[in-house]
Amino acid sequence: MSKYDALWKHVANSGETSFKLTFQEIMNIAGVPIDHSFLTYKKELVGFGYKVGKISMKEQTVEFVKTED
């Protein structure tokens, strides 16, 4: 079980082709702040049908993109 499981489930249930979440929204959903380990954990998202697109430190957002089936 990953500390980001709640986030991955939220992303998978969105049904969106692509969308952005702020770091604050991610913290609210996951229950933990986004940190450097996110770069390692993001690989788990592929199992939920999505991938991480652009991570913007300036805007403090993460883009999620649905993968091709």
Side-chain angles (χ1 to χ4, degrees):
M1 183 166 178
S2 164
K3 69 181 183 177
Y4 291 108
D5 276 349
L7 175 61
W8 305 153
K9 290 174 185 172
H10 176 84
V11 170
N13 289 332
S14 75
E16 300 284 334
T17 302
S18 69
F19 64 98
K20 291 181 183 179
L21 291 174
T22 66
F23 290 1
Q24 183 63 48
E25 289 171 323
I26 290 171
M27 187 174 88
N28 292 344
I29 295 164
V32 293
I34 190 169
D35 59 20
H36 69 278
S37 71
F38 183 79
L39 297 175
T40 302
Y41 283 103
K42 73 178 186 171
K43 298 171 190 163
E44 300 171 342
L45 187 54
V46 175
F48 291 85
Y50 281 81
K51 65 182 179 180
V52 171
K54 183 178 179 184
I55 300 172
S56 173
M57 297 304 288
K58 182 179 178 181
E59 296 176 7
Q60 294 197 337
T61 59
V62 177
E63 178 186 33
F64 298 94
V65 180
K66 192 168 190 164
T67 58
E68 302 284 326
D69 288 352

